[in-house]
Amino acid sequence: MSSELPTVVATKPPKTRTRLIIYLIAAIVLALVVIVVVINIVHRLPETGSENGVDSSEQDSTQMVIIASTTGMDQQSTSESSSSSSSLDEDHTDSDNTSLIQVTVTDSAVSTTQYPTVSENNMTNEQQSTTLESIVGESTTPTEDTVTELISETECGKTCSVSVVETIPRGIWFADPVYTKNAFESWAELLGTAKSEIDIFAYKMNLRGKELRYDVDNSTFEGRELYNIMEEQAKSGILIKLIDCRPPTNPANVYDADEMERLGLIQRQGLDMNTLNGGMGGIQHSKTFIVDDRHLFVGSMNFEWKSFSQKLEIGLEFHDCPCIAQDASRLFDQVFNSLAGKEKLEMVDFPKHQIGNSTFQFLASPSFLLNSSHSWDLEALLNLIYEADDFVDIAVMQYFPSWIYFKNREFFSQIDNAIRMSLSRGIRFRILISGDEKEEQKLMFSYLHSLSVLHSPAEKRNIQVKYILIPQTAQEAYKDRKMHAKFMLSESRTLIGSSNYAPEYFYKSTGTAVVVNEAPHYGEINRQLKQVFERYWSSAYTQNLQKFGESKGFIPKTSKPSNPFSGWFGFDHIGVFNEKYTATGFLYEKDHDEDNLILDPIIYI
């Protein structure tokens, strides 16, 4: 046996593990390179999974995308593609161009992204058109008004509150409680809130009642307080601008305006609608004021002491609602600046604004101030009647289907025809008119009587007419106590304004209004106004058309039958079903809607 050890041959270690590590590192590097290339390619392609840079996962919660200019002036647009982005001049600082902000409103937050400025000099007309379409669509151009509207719309939805405002004359008591805001308190709050500017459309400016020698019952208290607030605001540096009626229909109407102008407390422009209409009449009849372009009041109240203590008035207060306040402000600025000779009068339009569950739109008259009839209060009024599905309730100081301030008094059929045509399709109408002392009352009574004769429940034509009278003694005639409110409502729309329902107010005179669209029978504004109307309608201060005509001598009074047995075959003549008078002063009459008898007190004036 040999003692030598076996020979061991040395071999090289295997290379498998080393190569595997190298391959893995190379693969990782290659993958990173591919990812970087893909990312760059994706960023250079148009975005299809998102809109305006908003990730598709966020679109479900996105409510509104707004393109806004940081200066509020000229709007430019930016494209979502890199080809359009390449035309942006990043070093451009020309103040004529503005950078764009995209505001994305989600359920939980508001985020903003600022885009570079678009230089008009670096873009062709076709490129500019393409970038506009990429943001707002093929047929829409983002004008200054559109952008401002969209911004305000978002802000309105967060801050805006709307209140029904009412004046109930002193000494008047309604049995049915209805929550409304007191007009004096509303005005004091809004005027006292001003931080920079108050703009006023006023038919009258006489808050202190300087025409009165004695104010024995302090009827001017509220008006004097409001004047003091305005005076203090003006002295503190708040700019107050006024557009009022020129010439005034009564010298007393402008006592306070003259005083404030003399003291340098206001900037004032008088609007002579007769001259503007080429000698065809008309007055400045708008009753609206705007505070800081954020707060707005629209209604029937004049800047007069009577509007806060003597008259039934109605209005809407918009608190922290810049969207609709700025609509009224645009109209005011156009008229004021044109009267001051600063610029040519241009027509305006007013969009609809969604505030909560309701849609609001500011309206005006006459139509020649407007770009579109859709902003005209007459068109909104007619549409309310024609598009009603159930009922229309009307409360207005005057109703005239004719020109009443012109010699020939031509017939004006638009509102009257709307009522008659809607009545024929089953819409129920109730019309409440002010029973104040006016020489035109007989003519108005004739028109209303011609409507009332159409009432026929058997043929499903239901229309009732009443007058409301605010009591006052002969010694108090100077207080002019009456219903001065002007509003109309259906089951889904409400219109509150400054115009009586006669053609002069819509065609020759200025007026302002607001129309509210809500869910049928569920709108909050509509519900409140419905309650206000019901309270007026069923109160002790109303008379039906027949009794009002008798009390005024427009129709002969119904006399008591001389023979109590002469009417067995005509029950209405013996007082069984239609008692014409009683010792207690109450009147029994047949209800127009039902066969049940109702009790309706006679009002003696």
Side-chain angles (χ1 to χ4, degrees), residues 136-154:
V136 298
E138 296 180 355
S139 61
T140 305
T141 302
T143 64
E144 176 185 351
D145 290 344
T146 304
V147 172
T148 303
E149 171 198 338
L150 292 172
I151 298 173
S152 303
E153 195 91 10
T154 308

Side-chain angles (χ1 to χ4, degrees), residues 200-436:
I200 301 171
F201 279 113
Y203 171 51
K204 301 178 181 180
M205 181 69 82
N206 179 22
L207 292 166
R208 296 175 295 174
K210 292 191 68 176
E211 74 278 13
L212 305 179
R213 294 188 62 184
Y214 305 103
D215 185 13
V216 293
D217 58 355
N218 209 21
S219 293
T220 63
F221 170 77
E222 294 88 348
R224 286 186 281 110
E225 287 295 307
L226 292 174
Y227 180 90
N228 291 337
I229 292 174
M230 293 175 60
E231 184 179 35
E232 292 174 3
Q233 290 285 60
K235 289 180 178 179
S236 70
I238 304 299
L239 174 62
I240 300 179
K241 296 194 292 186
L242 170 67
I243 298 174
D244 63 349
C245 182
R246 186 171 297 177
T249 55
N250 187 315
N253 290 353
V254 293
Y255 281 168
D256 287 344
D258 290 343
E259 179 76 0
M260 295 186 78
E261 184 179 33
R262 185 181 66 81
L263 296 174
L265 300 176
I266 59 173
Q267 294 183 13
R268 181 185 183 190
Q269 295 294 334
L271 179 55
D272 185 349
M273 287 300 295
N274 181 54
T275 300
L276 200 59
N277 287 317
M280 296 299 292
I283 57 174
Q284 197 303 108
H285 198 250
S286 298
K287 311 167 196 300
T288 290
F289 67 90
I290 311 109
V291 177
D292 297 335
D293 283 356
R294 294 194 65 83
H295 316 298
L296 172 68
F297 186 90
V298 178
S300 62
M301 294 80 157
N302 288 303
F303 274 75
E304 182 186 39
W305 61 273
K306 301 174 188 176
S307 291
F308 304 95
S309 63
Q310 306 302 319
K311 298 181 180 181
L312 269 179
E313 305 271 15
I314 205 76
L316 284 180
E317 171 198 302
F318 295 85
H319 190 273
D320 256 338
C321 305
C323 54
I324 195 165
Q326 289 168 10
D327 289 344
S329 183
R330 286 202 311 275
L331 175 65
F332 182 91
D333 290 342
Q334 281 291 324
V335 177
F336 190 92
N337 292 336
S338 67
L339 292 172
K342 296 181 179 179
E343 60 185 49
K344 184 180 178 181
L345 181 63
E346 295 184 1
M347 296 180 291
V348 295
D349 266 336
F350 313 117
K352 297 178 181 178
H353 302 283
Q354 185 74 30
I355 302 174
N357 295 323
S358 306
T359 302
F360 297 82
Q361 185 182 12
F362 183 75
L363 306 166
S365 277
S367 58
F368 65 72
L369 294 176
L370 310 170
N371 267 320
S372 167
S373 63
H374 298 318
S375 299
W376 190 18
D377 53 354
L378 177 60
E379 179 173 288
L381 183 154
L382 295 173
N383 285 340
L384 187 153
I385 298 174
Y386 280 123
E387 296 175 8
D389 292 324
D390 186 7
F391 71 90
V392 174
D393 289 337
I394 299 171
V396 67
M397 190 182 82
Q398 292 179 324
Y399 173 86
F400 283 102
S402 69
W403 297 81
I404 56 175
Y405 299 114
F406 291 85
K407 203 169 186 181
N408 53 7
R409 294 192 170 181
E410 294 178 359
F411 186 67
F412 171 80
S413 63
Q414 287 175 280
I415 299 177
D416 213 59
N417 282 349
I419 293 175
R420 292 172 187 270
M421 293 176 69
S422 297
L423 186 66
S424 67
R425 60 186 178 89
I427 304 302
R428 296 177 290 114
F429 281 87
R430 292 186 297 178
I431 304 175
L432 185 65
I433 303 296
S434 177
D436 59 337

Side-chain angles (χ1 to χ4, degrees), residues 30-183:
L30 181 62
L32 290 175
V33 172
V34 171
I35 290 172
V36 171
V37 172
V38 169
I39 290 175
N40 279 276
I41 293 174
V42 169
H43 274 279
R44 293 177 179 275
L45 292 176
E47 297 175 8
T48 59
S50 62
E51 180 178 353
N52 294 335
V54 181
D55 188 78
S56 60
S57 63
E58 298 175 353
Q59 286 184 354
D60 293 337
S61 62
T62 301
Q63 296 176 341
M64 188 181 302
V65 175
I66 304 168
I67 303 301
S69 168
T70 56
T71 64
M73 298 299 290
D74 297 332
Q75 270 65 43
Q76 302 295 336
S77 59
T78 181
S79 174
E80 298 171 349
S81 66
S82 61
S83 60
S84 297
S85 299
S86 63
S87 66
L88 302 179
D89 185 359
E90 296 179 354
D91 298 327
H92 185 67
T93 57
D94 189 350
S95 61
D96 290 338
N97 293 295
T98 61
S99 58
L100 293 173
I101 291 180
Q102 174 180 296
V103 183
T104 306
V105 183
T106 66
D107 293 338
S108 58
V110 179
S111 61
T112 62
T113 303
Q114 184 160 345
Y115 289 94
T117 302
V118 178
S119 173
E120 290 185 1
N121 297 330
N122 295 335
M123 298 181 66
T124 65
N125 292 336
E126 182 178 356
Q127 288 174 324
Q128 292 181 30
S129 176
T130 302
T131 57
L132 290 176
E133 293 176 2
S134 68
I135 294 175
V136 298
E138 296 180 355
S139 61
T140 305
T141 302
T143 64
E144 176 185 351
D145 290 344
T146 304
V147 172
T148 303
E149 171 198 338
L150 292 172
I151 298 173
S152 303
E153 195 91 10
T154 308
E155 192 174 1
C156 269
K158 296 179 179 179
T159 64
C160 185
S161 63
V162 185
S163 302
V164 176
V165 177
E166 189 180 20
T167 294
I168 298 177
R170 293 185 186 180
I172 298 300
W173 305 98
F174 293 110
D176 301 326
V178 178
Y179 173 76
T180 55
K181 196 168 186 178
N182 177 269

